[in-house]
Amino acid sequence: MDSSTLIRFTLNGQPASARIKSYFTVVDLLQSLHLYGARESCGQGLCGCCTVLLDGVAVSGCLTLAQLVGGRSLTTVESLDQSGILSPVQQAFIDEGAFQCGFCTPGFVLMVHQLLERNADPTDDEIRDHLAGNLCRCAAYPEIIRATKSAAARMRAAATA
Amino acid sequence: MRDFELVRPSSLAEAIALLDTEDGGVRAFSGGTGLMLMMKTGVFTPTSLVRLDGIEPEHAAIGIDDDGSLRIGALATLSTVEHSPIVQKVAPLIPEAMKRLANVRVRNAARIGGNLAHGDPHMDLPPVLAALHASVRAVGPDGERTIAVEDLFAGYYETVLGRGELLTQVIVPSQAGWASVYHKCTTRSADDWPALGVAVSLRVVDGVIADSRLMVSAATEKLTRLVTAEAQLKGAETKAETFARAADAAVAEAETIDDARGSAEYKSSLLHVYVRRALRDALSRGALQ
Ligand SMILES: Cc1cc2nc3c(=O)[nH]c(=O)nc-3n(C[C@H](O)[C@H](O)[C@H](O)COP(=O)(O)OP(=O)(O)OC[C@H]3O[C@@H](n4cnc5c(N)ncnc54)[C@H](O)[C@@H]3O)c2cc1C
Ligand code: FES
Ligand code: FES
């Protein structure tokens, strides 16, 4: 038997629903909705390419059953520029050249948003600790750390403006 | 993956009843991080997963007893434990170990009960909690019992938990007077799991070791308490020769295993180095008030 279930949830602030198989992960769910920002690479929770926020908390989409999203709020990288303007973190990644191929970037950007929500002025070590579970095959790590600090500075400036 | 059912009981008793079955495809589902890996690799094919998050409110709390011991609900996420001021105060070794345990997203999802029930000998919290003399509460069809963390593991990926038995709480006694350290050693294997984990706790009175607890993990099939090494330490002075004698005893006692992370012989050498190092570091770290 291979049946499907209907789930209702909040996707990037909007009500959403989808038909899913019991074994779908959040990455499968998002692909069925044509959202490709979270992508599966390692499939084991190690690399962070599939990062999403579930009720505001960062998790690996590849290790999260889609069924668990029912009734909850799911946020993906696609939420960040909904106003038509890139988020300060996205802009900082572009300005600092914090990627080459860009495959890992949505995951890093969401993780950096999470970090800066809790810590407005992280040290290099705090940034490294927080991003230890995100891998960049293009090795843009120095630029990613610079972008994180630059985004933090922009967000602090905006908060006091 | 094949189709399965996901159920969400709203009481512990209901969860236990659902899990009290002959069907090996029925399992408790806590943070799902361990289970999802086993399901994706085909090691485990579920027929029914029993979500524990429906009983979260009463079983995720972190509190402190009158005697200073710490109680952590089995459904507390590793992140909650990591950032809890109470945990930091009673047992700072736990948050310290979390910093090198998996990554932020796994810690956000995984729960301390799932972590201990998984039974993978490479994991960090079993040796840490055992060195801190922690125990767990387990509730099953036949009632409730307390199990010392050092006695929780029966073998490789195997615990002593019976059918339908669930971990509900972790209890860590006051650490006043004890100094503790955990070191792990990874050998750049493809999976990045450690080749060795060593956790020690020392209670020193007037330059003499009054009491100690020494645990090894990862290099052995299951978490192992190094009792002959502890015996070497008891009543001895805190000096390098004492620590070397304990390390000799540890190597004689621990049954290290060959695997992708190194030969048994290599792990025994690592054990000698890490026992001495951990004892030295615990001594210089000093006891908690
Ligand atoms: C990318 C990655 C890196 C990792 N790195 C590390 C690391 O560096 N160090 C480390 O220690 N660990 C590491 N882990 C392992 C991780 O800690 C475990 O997967 C996790 O703690 C399991 O907890 P969970 O709540 O997700 O359990 P689940 O996956 O939900 O369950 C695990 C097992 O425990 C059973 N179970 C769950 N809850 C209970 C309960 N309350 N009572 C009885 N049985 C129960 C389940 O039935 C299942 O058999 C890593 C995992 C991943 C994915
Ligand atoms: S694809 Fe999910 S963490 Fe790598
Ligand atoms: S930019 Fe290519 S993987 Fe990170």
Coordinates of all heavy atoms in Angstrom, one line a residue, chain A residues 65-112:
Chain A
L65 N 10.9 14.3 8.8 CA 9.7 13.8 8.1 C 8.7 14.9 7.7 O 8.4 15.7 8.6 CB 9.0 12.7 8.9 CG 9.6 11.4 9.0 CD1 8.8 10.5 9.9 CD2 9.7 10.7 7.6
A66 N 8.3 14.9 6.5 CA 7.3 15.9 6.0 C 6.0 15.9 6.9 O 5.4 16.9 7.2 CB 7.0 15.7 4.6
Q67 N 5.7 14.7 7.4 CA 4.4 14.6 8.2 C 4.5 15.5 9.4 O 3.5 15.9 9.9 CB 4.2 13.2 8.7 CG 4.0 12.2 7.6 CD 3.5 10.9 8.1 OE1 2.4 10.8 8.7 NE2 4.3 9.8 8.0
L68 N 5.7 15.7 9.9 CA 5.9 16.5 11.2 C 5.6 18.0 11.0 O 5.5 18.7 11.9 CB 7.3 16.3 11.7 CG 7.8 14.9 12.1 CD1 9.2 14.9 12.5 CD2 6.9 14.4 13.2
V69 N 5.5 18.4 9.7 CA 5.3 19.8 9.4 C 3.8 20.2 9.5 O 3.5 21.3 9.7 CB 5.8 20.1 7.9 CG1 5.4 21.5 7.5 CG2 7.3 19.9 7.9
G70 N 2.9 19.2 9.5 CA 1.5 19.4 9.6 C 1.2 20.3 10.8 O 1.6 20.0 11.9
G71 N 0.4 21.4 10.6 CA 0.0 22.3 11.7 C 1.1 23.2 12.2 O 0.9 24.0 13.1
R72 N 2.3 23.1 11.5 CA 3.4 24.0 12.0 C 3.8 25.0 10.9 O 3.3 25.0 9.9 CB 4.5 23.1 12.4 CG 4.1 22.2 13.6 CD 5.1 21.1 13.8 NE 6.3 21.5 14.5 CZ 7.3 20.7 14.8 NH1 7.3 19.5 14.4 NH2 8.4 21.2 15.5
S73 N 4.9 25.7 11.3 CA 5.3 26.8 10.4 C 6.7 26.4 9.8 O 7.6 26.2 10.6 CB 5.4 28.1 11.2 OG 6.0 29.1 10.4
L74 N 6.7 26.4 8.5 CA 8.0 26.0 7.8 C 8.5 27.3 7.0 O 7.7 27.9 6.3 CB 7.7 24.9 6.8 CG 8.8 24.3 6.0 CD1 9.8 23.6 7.0 CD2 8.3 23.3 5.0
T75 N 9.8 27.6 7.2 CA 10.4 28.7 6.6 C 11.6 28.3 5.8 O 12.4 27.6 6.3 CB 10.8 29.8 7.6 OG1 9.7 30.0 8.5 CG2 11.3 31.1 7.0
T76 N 11.6 28.8 4.5 CA 12.7 28.4 3.6 C 13.5 29.7 3.2 O 13.0 30.8 3.5 CB 12.3 27.7 2.4 OG1 11.5 28.6 1.6 CG2 11.4 26.5 2.7
V77 N 14.6 29.5 2.5 CA 15.4 30.7 2.1 C 14.5 31.6 1.2 O 14.7 32.8 1.1 CB 16.6 30.2 1.3 CG1 16.3 29.6 0.0 CG2 17.7 31.3 1.2
E78 N 13.5 31.0 0.5 CA 12.7 31.8 -0.4 C 11.9 32.9 0.3 O 11.4 33.8 -0.3 CB 11.7 30.9 -1.2 CG 12.3 30.1 -2.3 CD 12.9 28.7 -1.8 OE1 12.9 28.5 -0.6 OE2 13.3 27.9 -2.7
S79 N 11.8 32.8 1.7 CA 11.1 33.8 2.4 C 11.8 35.1 2.6 O 11.3 36.1 2.8 CB 10.8 33.3 3.9 OG 12.0 33.2 4.6
L80 N 13.1 35.0 2.4 CA 14.0 36.2 2.8 C 13.9 37.4 1.9 O 14.1 38.5 2.3 CB 15.4 35.7 2.9 CG 15.8 34.7 4.0 CD1 17.2 34.3 3.9 CD2 15.4 35.3 5.4
D81 N 13.5 37.2 0.6 CA 13.4 38.3 -0.3 C 12.0 38.5 -0.8 O 11.8 39.1 -1.9 CB 14.4 38.2 -1.5 CG 14.1 37.0 -2.4 OD1 13.3 36.2 -1.9 OD2 14.6 37.0 -3.5
Q82 N 11.0 38.1 0.0 CA 9.6 38.2 -0.4 C 9.2 39.6 -0.7 O 8.3 39.9 -1.5 CB 8.7 37.5 0.6 CG 8.6 36.0 0.4 CD 7.8 35.3 1.5 OE1 7.6 35.9 2.6 NE2 7.2 34.2 1.3
S83 N 9.9 40.6 0.0 CA 9.5 42.0 -0.2 C 10.1 42.5 -1.4 O 9.9 43.7 -1.8 CB 10.0 42.8 1.0 OG 11.5 42.7 1.0
G84 N 10.9 41.7 -2.1 CA 11.6 42.2 -3.3 C 13.0 42.7 -3.0 O 13.8 43.0 -4.0
I85 N 13.4 42.8 -1.8 CA 14.7 43.2 -1.4 C 15.4 42.1 -0.7 O 14.8 41.4 0.1 CB 14.6 44.4 -0.4 CG1 13.8 45.6 -1.0 CG2 16.0 44.9 0.0 CD1 13.4 46.6 0.0
L86 N 16.7 41.9 -1.0 CA 17.4 40.8 -0.4 C 17.6 41.1 1.1 O 17.7 42.3 1.5 CB 18.8 40.7 -1.0 CG 18.9 40.2 -2.5 CD1 20.3 40.2 -3.0 CD2 18.2 38.8 -2.6
S87 N 17.7 40.0 1.9 CA 17.9 40.2 3.3 C 19.3 40.7 3.5 O 20.2 40.6 2.6 CB 17.7 38.9 4.1 OG 18.9 38.1 3.9
P88 N 19.6 41.4 4.7 CA 21.0 41.9 4.9 C 22.0 40.7 4.8 O 23.2 41.0 4.3 CB 21.0 42.4 6.3 CG 19.5 42.4 6.8 CD 18.7 41.7 5.8
V89 N 21.7 39.5 5.2 CA 22.6 38.4 5.1 C 22.9 38.1 3.7 O 24.0 37.9 3.2 CB 22.1 37.2 5.9 CG1 23.1 36.0 5.8 CG2 22.0 37.6 7.4
Q90 N 21.8 38.0 2.9 CA 22.0 37.7 1.5 C 22.8 38.7 0.8 O 23.8 38.4 0.0 CB 20.6 37.6 0.8 CG 19.8 36.4 1.2 CD 18.4 36.4 0.6 OE1 17.7 37.4 0.7 NE2 18.0 35.3 0.0
Q91 N 22.5 40.0 1.1 CA 23.3 41.1 0.5 C 24.8 41.0 0.9 O 25.7 41.2 0.0 CB 22.7 42.4 0.9 CG 23.2 43.6 0.0 CD 23.0 43.4 -1.5 OE1 21.8 43.2 -1.9 NE2 24.0 43.5 -2.3
A92 N 25.0 40.7 2.1 CA 26.4 40.6 2.6 C 27.1 39.4 1.9 O 28.3 39.6 1.6 CB 26.5 40.4 4.1
F93 N 26.4 38.3 1.7 CA 27.1 37.2 1.0 C 27.5 37.6 -0.4 O 28.6 37.2 -0.9 CB 26.1 36.0 0.9 CG 26.3 35.0 2.1 CD1 26.1 35.4 3.4 CD2 26.7 33.7 1.8 CE1 26.3 34.5 4.4 CE2 26.9 32.8 2.9 CZ 26.7 33.2 4.2
I94 N 26.7 38.4 -1.1 CA 27.0 38.9 -2.5 C 28.2 39.8 -2.4 O 29.2 39.7 -3.1 CB 25.8 39.5 -3.1 CG1 24.7 38.5 -3.4 CG2 26.2 40.2 -4.4 CD1 23.4 39.0 -3.9
D95 N 28.1 40.8 -1.5 CA 29.1 41.8 -1.4 C 30.5 41.3 -1.0 O 31.5 41.7 -1.5 CB 28.7 42.9 -0.4 CG 27.5 43.7 -0.8 OD1 27.1 43.6 -2.0 OD2 26.9 44.4 0.0
E96 N 30.5 40.2 -0.2 CA 31.8 39.6 0.2 C 32.2 38.5 -0.7 O 33.2 37.9 -0.5 CB 31.7 39.1 1.7 CG 31.4 40.2 2.7 CD 32.6 41.2 2.9 OE1 33.7 40.8 2.5 OE2 32.3 42.3 3.4
G97 N 31.4 38.2 -1.7 CA 31.7 37.0 -2.6 C 31.8 35.7 -1.8 O 32.7 34.9 -2.0
A98 N 30.8 35.5 -1.0 CA 30.9 34.3 0.0 C 30.4 33.0 -0.7 O 29.8 32.2 0.0 CB 30.1 34.7 1.2
F99 N 30.5 32.9 -2.0 CA 30.2 31.6 -2.6 C 30.8 31.6 -4.0 O 31.2 32.6 -4.6 CB 28.6 31.5 -2.8 CG 28.0 32.7 -3.4 CD1 27.9 32.8 -4.7 CD2 27.4 33.6 -2.5 CE1 27.3 34.0 -5.3 CE2 26.8 34.7 -3.1 CZ 26.7 34.9 -4.4
Q100 N 30.9 30.4 -4.6 CA 31.3 30.2 -6.0 C 30.1 29.6 -6.7 O 29.4 30.3 -7.4 CB 32.6 29.4 -6.1 CG 33.8 30.2 -5.6 CD 35.1 29.4 -5.9 OE1 35.3 29.0 -7.0 NE2 35.9 29.4 -4.9
C101 N 29.9 28.3 -6.5 CA 28.8 27.6 -7.2 C 27.4 28.0 -6.6 O 26.4 28.0 -7.3 CB 29.0 26.1 -7.2 SG 28.6 25.3 -5.7
G102 N 27.4 28.3 -5.3 CA 26.2 28.7 -4.6 C 25.3 27.6 -4.1 O 24.2 27.8 -3.5
F103 N 25.7 26.3 -4.3 CA 24.9 25.2 -3.9 C 24.6 25.2 -2.4 O 23.5 24.9 -1.9 CB 25.5 23.9 -4.3 CG 24.6 22.7 -4.3 CD1 23.7 22.5 -5.3 CD2 24.6 21.8 -3.2 CE1 22.8 21.4 -5.2 CE2 23.7 20.8 -3.1 CZ 22.8 20.6 -4.2
C104 N 25.6 25.6 -1.6 CA 25.5 25.5 -0.1 C 24.9 26.8 0.4 O 24.6 26.8 1.6 CB 26.9 25.3 0.5 SG 27.9 26.8 0.2
T105 N 24.8 27.8 -0.4 CA 24.5 29.2 0.1 C 23.1 29.3 0.9 O 23.1 29.9 1.9 CB 24.6 30.2 -1.0 OG1 25.8 29.9 -1.7 CG2 24.6 31.6 -0.5
P106 N 22.0 28.8 0.3 CA 20.8 28.9 1.1 C 20.9 28.4 2.5 O 20.4 29.1 3.5 CB 19.8 28.1 0.3 CG 20.3 28.1 -1.1 CD 21.8 28.0 -0.9
G107 N 21.6 27.3 2.7 CA 21.7 26.7 4.0 C 22.6 27.7 4.9 O 22.2 27.9 6.1
F108 N 23.7 28.1 4.4 CA 24.5 29.1 5.2 C 23.7 30.3 5.6 O 23.8 30.8 6.7 CB 25.8 29.4 4.4 CG 26.9 28.5 4.6 CD1 27.2 27.5 3.7 CD2 27.7 28.6 5.7 CE1 28.3 26.6 3.8 CE2 28.8 27.7 5.9 CZ 29.1 26.7 5.0
V109 N 23.0 30.9 4.6 CA 22.3 32.1 4.8 C 21.2 31.9 6.0 O 21.2 32.8 6.9 CB 21.6 32.6 3.5 CG1 20.6 33.7 3.8 CG2 22.7 33.1 2.5
L110 N 20.5 30.8 5.9 CA 19.5 30.6 7.0 C 20.2 30.4 8.3 O 19.7 30.9 9.4 CB 18.6 29.4 6.6 CG 17.5 29.6 5.6 CD1 16.8 28.3 5.3 CD2 16.5 30.7 6.2
M111 N 21.3 29.7 8.3 CA 22.0 29.4 9.6 C 22.5 30.7 10.2 O 22.5 31.0 11.4 CB 23.1 28.4 9.4 CG 22.7 27.0 9.1 SD 21.7 26.2 10.5 CE 23.0 26.0 11.7
V112 N 23.0 31.6 9.3 CA 23.6 32.9 9.8 C 22.4 33.8 10.3 O 22.6 34.4 11.3 CB 24.3 33.6 8.6 CG1 24.7 35.1 9.0 CG2 25.6 32.8 8.3

